[in-house]
Amino acid sequence: MLGESARLQLLSFIAVQPAQEACVCQLIEPLRLSQPTVSHHLKVLYKAGLLQKERRGTWIYYRLVPERFEILQKVLTLPKSK
């Protein structure tokens, strides 16, 4: 699921947003991917339980699931060397 670098980039981008949320329209340009590709990756992350989604008009906003994201951060953090 996270073997695709675009998915890690999406999570990182969403994590640094003020409300830790973004719509597809905000993610296309920074990642230099097409809308269908971004939507596909967001769908995978949503199904994995890392993102929540909310429709607002014609756009879907994706937000981090804090508990899941914290676990992911712990797993991906390298141990500190002594």
Side-chain angles (χ1 to χ4, degrees), residues 27-44:
L27 300 167
I28 296 167
E29 188 176 324
L31 290 163
R32 294 182 164 171
L33 296 173
S34 68
Q35 182 273 324
T37 301
V38 171
S39 293
H40 168 74
H41 290 307
L42 290 168
K43 182 180 177 180
V44 171

Side-chain angles (χ1 to χ4, degrees), residues 2-3 8-9 11 14 18-20 36-37 39-41 43-45 51-52 57-58 62 65 77-78 81-82:
L2 290 175
L8 288 173
Q9 290 176 318
L11 289 173
I14 294 170
Q20 292 191 328
T37 301
S39 293
H40 168 74
H41 290 307
K43 182 180 177 180
V44 171
L45 293 168
L51 297 175
Q52 298 170 333
T58 57
Y62 290 86
V65 176
T77 301
L78 294 173
S81 58
K82 295 182 180 184

Side-chain angles (χ1 to χ4, degrees), residues 43-61:
K43 182 180 177 180
V44 171
L45 293 168
Y46 172 76
K47 285 186 173 184
L50 294 169
L51 297 175
Q52 298 170 333
K53 63 182 179 176
E54 176 186 342
R55 180 174 291 279
R56 297 182 197 161
T58 57
W59 294 106
I60 297 177
Y61 283 77

